[in-house]
Amino acid sequence: MTQRTKILLIYTGGTIGMVKDYETGVLKPFRFEKIKERLPELSQLDSDIEHFSFDPPIDSSDMNISHWERIAKSIEENYQEYDGFVVLHGSDTMGYSASALSFMLENLSKPVIFTGSQLPIGDLRTDARENLITSIRLASLKENEQPVIKEVCLYFEYKLYRGNRTTKIDAENFQAFDSPNYPTLAESGVHLKVHDEFLYKKERQEPLRIFTKFDPNVAFLKIFPNITQPILDGILNLPNLKGVVMETFGSGNAPTCQWFLESIEKAIKKGVVVVNITQCMRGFVLPNKYEAGSHFENIGVINGKDITSEAAITKLMYLLGKNIDSKSLKIKYEKEVQGEIS
Ligand code: ASP
């Protein structure tokens, strides 16, 4: 006989819990209790489901560090009592939140699964039903009484991904996410197929601890052909700036002119942390492949390898929040913390 599991749903908002205001045609959040009414199937699962709800629920465009902290705290406070956690979240910034939570929840050894939908739960053609039910099933999986999944994941349209490897790729189709540089962890077909070899396996010696002191003084710097020195310097000299995720071309290349490198070097000397990631969807930063990327290593730019933008910026907030010197930060950044980088 399968043992019943206890799952906590953390409802933050997003399309999944929205209804249409028929006067204006605009989608608006509604109270979470209605989700259970809309999905009577929830009571057929082998799980006791309780919920914690953001009040009011929010569009994920409004997510910030304090919301991530609220999710982390609700997991920490209920950690012993529940077998797994399912976070209902708007899809727009879900990749950022899943990445942020993967860093915030240090020593996590239970499943935390983010999910949402492209169509509201009340829509006849909604994808919310499958996404939510399968997320609960995945969060309930056990082997020898131990959870099978012990990391932050994202489930969407029949696929389970490592949360901090995901990126939103589509605003129209149900398959809204991809994990361009790491394999899918599980697939939902006739059977629920878990790819055990790709799950996060590091054994936890210590209990769950949450780290919420993220530093928000960071920015993206997307390089483009014809970027000018005043624009580059303007960004690198923003007041309070502590870190920059620089999105470069191909395998980590940028303009080779003297002023470009000098501006980056000056910023690093001033104490700004600079991370190099690629604008490409797939692949790595390979600093020594072309001359155009070869100088970054010498001036102390961090190699972001194959990290996504979402994980890159949240990891930077996380490590800057640790208040460590720039050398240690570079070493920590270039190694995986939660399976986010190869
Ligand atoms: N704007 C919504 C959100 O991210 C979109 C969604 O839920 O898919 O909150």
Side-chain angles (χ1 to χ4, degrees):
M1 202 180 94
T2 43
Q3 256 214 304
R4 285 186 79 76
T5 52
K6 239 183 132 182
I7 302 296
L8 183 66
L9 295 186
I10 300 170
Y11 173 58
T12 68
T15 299
I16 192 160
M18 289 196 178
V19 278
K20 209 178 216 163
D21 180 326
Y22 282 100
E23 273 174 23
T24 61
V26 167
L27 289 176
K28 290 193 317 195
F30 75 110
R31 300 199 66 77
F32 184 80
E33 289 72 45
K34 299 259 168 78
I35 277 193
K36 285 189 172 172
E37 262 171 48
R38 303 245 177 203
L39 276 186
E41 300 94 313
L42 289 181
S43 58
Q44 290 166 22
L45 291 165
D46 289 328
S47 306
D48 296 320
I49 299 161
E50 287 172 27
H51 75 268
F52 160 78
S53 183
F54 274 24
D55 187 17
I58 61 166
D59 188 289
S60 78
S61 313
D62 284 324
M63 276 284 162
N64 59 36
I65 295 171
S66 74
H67 297 113
W68 294 338
E69 183 172 349
R70 215 185 299 166
I71 299 170
K73 285 209 166 126
S74 66
I75 291 172
E76 187 188 36
E77 282 160 14
N78 293 288
Y79 197 64
Q80 297 311 328
E81 211 188 314
Y82 290 87
D83 297 293
F85 303 85
V86 173
V87 184
L88 300 173
H89 192 291
S91 63
D92 288 349
T93 65
M94 202 189 297
Y96 289 92
S97 294
S99 298
L101 265 292
S102 78
F103 303 125
M104 259 186 194
L105 299 167
E106 295 179 339
N107 306 316
L108 180 72
S109 57
K110 287 190 178 182
V112 173
I113 301 184
F114 278 75
T115 195
S117 65
Q118 293 282 65
L119 284 176
I121 202 125
D123 193 294
L124 272 183
R125 294 176 51 251
T126 189
D127 50 334
R129 182 174 289 105
E130 204 287 318
N131 286 347
L132 176 54
I133 289 174
T134 305
S135 294
I136 295 171
R137 291 285 305 277
L138 287 162
S140 300
L141 289 179
K142 291 214 172 176
E143 207 174 81
N144 302 325
E145 305 205 353
Q146 290 303 310
V148 170
I149 295 161
K150 301 173 185 172
E151 58 182 303
V152 176
C153 298
L154 188 154
Y155 181 78
F156 222 90
E157 190 63 3
Y158 305 109
K159 286 189 176 153
L160 182 75
Y161 309 101
R162 174 164 298 156
N164 58 28
R165 291 291 195 152
T166 59
T167 195
K168 186 169 178 183
I169 52 156
D170 206 319
E172 164 70 18
N173 288 297
F174 286 142
Q175 171 119 32
F177 286 89
D178 195 8
S179 168
N181 286 318
Y182 196 76
T184 305
L185 303 182
E187 274 149 276
S188 168
V190 174
H191 301 288
L192 213 47
K193 217 189 273 167
V194 178
H195 303 296
D196 191 61
E197 67 276 29
F198 300 127
L199 294 175
Y200 198 74
K201 287 280 166 48
K202 221 189 241 174
E203 279 307 318
R204 307 299 186 184
Q205 312 296 345
E206 291 175 45
L208 176 81
R209 178 179 62 207
I210 63 167
F211 181 82
T212 58
K213 265 179 51 198
F214 278 34
D215 192 328
N217 294 302
V218 294
F220 278 116
L221 166 59
K222 186 164 185 165
I223 306 301
F224 53 94
N226 207 50
I227 187 168
T228 63
Q229 189 169 10
I231 296 285
L232 181 67
D233 284 340
I235 295 170
L236 292 173
N237 290 302
L238 284 169
N240 301 327
L241 186 72
K242 300 227 188 92
V244 167
V245 173
M246 178 172 68
E247 297 186 326
T248 55
F249 309 127
S251 49
N253 308 313
T256 54
C257 43
Q258 190 75 11
W259 63 260
F260 187 91
L261 215 61
E262 277 173 10
S263 291
I264 304 279
E265 190 171 12
K266 231 192 262 167
I268 293 174
K269 287 209 168 121
K270 218 178 62 180
V272 176
V273 174
V274 181
V275 181
N276 185 11
I277 69 169
T278 171
Q279 290 175 18
C280 295
M281 180 76 169
R282 272 171 231 282
F284 275 79
V285 166
L286 296 167
N288 293 317
K289 193 166 174 197
Y290 295 95
E291 205 207 336
S294 63
H295 306 295
F296 287 144
E297 198 89 320
N298 305 330
I299 60 169
V301 171
I302 293 173
N303 181 353
K305 301 176 191 173
D306 62 346
I307 199 167
T308 59
S309 304
E310 291 86 337
I313 199 91
T314 51
K315 185 174 184 177
L316 193 54
M317 293 182 203
Y318 167 72
L319 289 178
L320 284 170
K322 294 262 174 189
N323 254 328
I324 45 179
D325 62 84
S326 54
K327 241 193 200 148
S328 319
L329 194 148
K330 184 173 189 307
I331 295 169
K332 278 199 194 302
Y333 200 106
E334 289 178 349
K335 283 199 203 130
E336 65 94 25
V337 173
Q338 275 303 315
E340 74 286 355
I341 199 168
S342 298

